[in-house]
Amino acid sequence: MAESNKMKEMPVNKLMIQMGIPMILSMALQAVYNIVDSAFVGNMKVGSEAALNALTLVFPVQMLMVAVGIGTGVGTNALLARTLGQGNSKKAAKVAGNSLFLGVIIYVFCLLFGFFGVRAYISSQTVDAEVLEMGVNYLRICCVSSFGIIFFSLFEKLLQATGRSLYSTIGQVVGAVVNIIIDPIMIYGIGSCPEMGVKGAAYATVIGQVASAVLLFIFHMKLNKEFEHDVKYMKPNKDIIKEIYAIGFPAIIAQALMSFMVYVMNLILKFNPSAQTAYGLFYKVQQFVLFLAFGLRDAITPIIAFAYGMRSKKRIQDGVKYGLIYTIALMILGIAITEIFPGAFATLFNAGQSRAYFISAMRVISISFLFAGINVAYQGIYQALDGGVESLVISLLRQLVIILPLAGIFSVFVRNAQMGVALIWWAFPITEAISCLVGYAFLKKIRKNKVNVLK
């Protein structure tokens, strides 16, 4: 069955499983090698705790680079899927070409930050000279070579928009395997490779990202035959760029807010470096669970967007129903893993003085996963149905409006009333539960105004 026919005719529950499993595995693998990266660094013979703290501090900028790349890709994904659903192959070629033009612009900004902004950013979060130098070295390498992760994100979404999620997963797997193989060689200095410590971790990361991007570029050129590939389509078209970001900008904000939230949480926890490190380590475990929801969201969005382009009310409704059911099942699994095995994760990272804080974070914050996963699914549904504003509001609630003031207030009690740091962790489940209620109200509104009116 041709990919376009599959998007039109395959039962939505089967289509979501077929498209979603490769994306879920892809995102899970991405999260796994983030965890492995920290595990290798945490087991360095010298300076492991400083290195873990440094990786915690650089993480928000890494997330921000990914945010802009993925957000642009999400906009491209939904717009391309809808355009193909309408049978407009010429516009589809322009959508793909303009997304690559935007990738070049994004990389230029990352490059400039790598040269001129890294030291000021790291020094705002720590006064430890060793942590500062490790963080600067790691982040500068990642920024200067960020073209790998940016173009990987774009080609991944171009393949997903045409139903070829399996190939984006293959690219992700190759990059992850390259990273995992090279990590210990460069960090510890195995064979003829010198011991590079944190720098080695950064080089391994970007080499894996470039490998993925190159492979997905080849897949895109050879397999995405529904539209033409030519440099002329990279000529910027303001109307198409506007359409891409009308859909993708909320996704960028959502991802960027995650970055900002982690940065501010680092500042809130600055009074206790061990708790700060514990939060950074836990965030990578949290990513492992929530990336499952993100992977499924990346199936939900093109399926519903394609159906919306076809004006198929039933397929949209099925997309919403099965997207939420499968997301809830994944989140229940994630909660079980994190509640049962917190000590195993602490041992994996060699958490040291941060161990108790890390385990308490896992016990409390994992409660929020069910609500967080549903919120992620809601945002994928909104993006497919031109609900950019609703998606943005949910992101603001989850990562700015509720969470940060609440965590800040709780931190005052922790410092002044000598209460346990675990109080701060409770800000997460409270925030996600409130956001989920708001998200349900938005879903009812979108169904009434955009789905139920279809014939």
Side-chain angles (χ1 to χ4, degrees):
M1 186 183 293
E3 299 296 331
S4 58
N5 289 336
K6 181 175 73 175
M7 294 288 281
K8 291 178 184 177
E9 299 170 10
M10 181 179 283
V12 170
N13 60 332
K14 294 182 180 179
L15 178 61
M16 193 165 290
I17 291 173
Q18 188 179 101
M19 289 182 63
I21 287 176
M23 295 180 190
I24 291 166
L25 292 175
S26 174
M27 296 298 283
L29 191 60
Q30 171 75 27
V32 164
Y33 84 74
N34 283 343
I35 290 172
V36 170
D37 201 47
S38 292
F40 282 130
V41 168
N43 286 280
M44 287 165 46
K45 292 180 181 178
V46 179
S48 60
E49 288 228 16
L52 286 173
N53 197 359
L55 263 61
T56 295
L57 303 185
V58 306
F59 196 53
V61 172
Q62 288 181 289
M63 291 170 62
L64 185 59
M65 291 189 292
V66 171
V68 180
I70 287 182
T72 303
V74 165
T76 302
N77 180 334
L79 181 59
L80 184 60
R82 188 186 313 155
T83 303
L84 290 172
Q86 295 166 344
N88 190 343
S89 59
K90 187 170 183 179
K91 182 179 178 181
K94 292 180 179 179
V95 171
N98 272 253
S99 73
L100 300 180
F101 165 77
L102 292 170
V104 174
I105 302 301
I106 294 165
Y107 171 63
V108 170
F109 279 100
C110 293
L111 182 66
L112 291 173
F113 181 79
F115 283 124
F116 302 112
V118 166
R119 184 168 293 275
Y121 165 77
I122 299 293
S123 63
S124 71
Q125 300 173 86
T126 184
V127 294
D128 187 305
E130 184 181 18
V131 172
L132 174 63
E133 288 308 310
M134 285 182 172
V136 168
N137 290 335
Y138 186 97
L139 188 53
R140 182 162 288 148
I141 292 167
C142 289
C143 289
V144 170
S145 303
S146 60
F147 56 86
I149 189 60
I150 292 167
F151 284 99
F152 165 76
S153 300
L154 294 176
F155 288 126
E156 178 186 42
K157 300 304 180 188
L158 289 171
L159 287 163
Q160 289 172 359
T162 58
R164 297 182 173 90
S165 55
L166 174 62
Y167 295 95
S168 67
T169 301
I170 292 171
Q172 181 77 273
V173 169
V174 168
V177 170
V178 168
N179 188 346
I180 291 170
I181 291 172
I182 296 176
D183 245 334
I185 295 172
M186 291 188 160
I187 292 172
Y188 305 139
I190 298 173
S192 59
C193 181
E195 181 179 349
M196 290 187 279
V198 167
K199 284 186 178 180
Y203 283 124
T205 295
V206 299
I207 289 170
Q209 291 168 350
V210 171
S212 292
V214 170
L215 187 57
L216 291 196
F217 168 71
I218 294 170
F219 287 152
H220 168 68
M221 296 299 292
K222 290 187 175 293
L223 300 174
N224 277 347
K225 298 297 186 182
E226 290 83 357
F227 50 89
E228 290 184 50
H229 306 285
D230 197 297
V231 175
K232 68 182 180 182
Y233 294 116
M234 289 182 66
K235 181 179 178 181
N237 181 308
K238 66 178 182 179
D239 292 330
I240 287 176
I241 292 173
K242 184 178 178 181
E243 284 189 85
I244 287 173
Y245 282 121
I247 303 166
F249 186 69
I252 292 175
I253 295 297
Q255 296 279 341
L257 283 173
M258 289 172 64
S259 173
F260 180 73
M261 181 189 74
V262 174
Y263 174 70
V264 175
M265 285 297 298
N266 285 339
L267 296 180
I268 289 172
L269 294 167
K270 193 175 180 180
F271 72 94
N272 188 328
S274 293
Q276 189 183 57
T277 300
Y279 174 67
L281 293 176
F282 171 77
Y283 199 85
K284 296 195 174 186
V285 178
Q286 176 180 268
Q287 273 196 314
F288 174 74
V289 178
L290 292 186
F291 272 23
L292 303 180
F294 289 140
L296 187 57
R297 179 203 63 190
D298 288 343
I300 293 169
T301 300
I303 288 171
I304 295 178
F306 198 102
Y308 192 46
M310 291 172 57
R311 298 183 64 80
S312 172
K313 182 178 178 179
K314 184 180 186 305
R315 290 183 72 81
I316 293 171
Q317 291 173 332
D318 285 348
V320 173
K321 179 175 74 173
Y322 290 110
L324 289 172
I325 290 172
Y326 295 155
T327 297
I328 289 169
L330 284 172
M331 292 303 97
I332 291 173
L333 176 63
I335 291 170
I337 291 171
T338 50
E339 288 288 349
I340 294 170
F341 302 111
F345 282 104
T347 301
L348 174 67
F349 292 127
N350 191 23
Q353 295 178 3
S354 304
R355 183 183 179 90
Y357 297 111
F358 174 76
I359 290 175
S360 72
M362 288 195 73
R363 294 287 192 199
V364 174
I365 302 178
S366 63
I367 297 169
S368 70
F369 292 162
L370 179 60
F371 304 113
I374 292 172
N375 285 327
V376 169
Y378 282 159
Q379 290 180 288
I381 295 165
Y382 303 156
Q383 289 159 8
L385 299 173
D386 288 334
V389 172
E390 289 84 354
S391 181
L392 177 58
V393 170
I394 294 298
S395 296
L396 288 168
L397 291 176
R398 293 179 62 216
Q399 281 130 10
L400 181 66
V401 175
I402 302 175
I403 181 69
L404 295 181
L406 202 56
I409 292 168
F410 287 169
S411 73
V412 172
F413 285 102
V414 170
R415 284 177 290 179
N416 296 340
Q418 300 299 308
M419 300 179 73
V421 172
L423 178 64
I424 298 174
W425 309 144
W426 279 102
F428 291 86
I430 293 170
T431 295
E432 295 291 359
I434 295 171
S435 300
C436 196
L437 291 174
V438 176
Y440 178 70
F442 284 158
L443 181 61
K444 288 183 67 175
K445 175 186 172 185
I446 287 176
R447 272 178 164 163
K448 178 181 177 181
N449 295 337
K450 296 188 177 181
V451 180
N452 293 342
V453 297
L454 299 175
K455 294 181 180 179

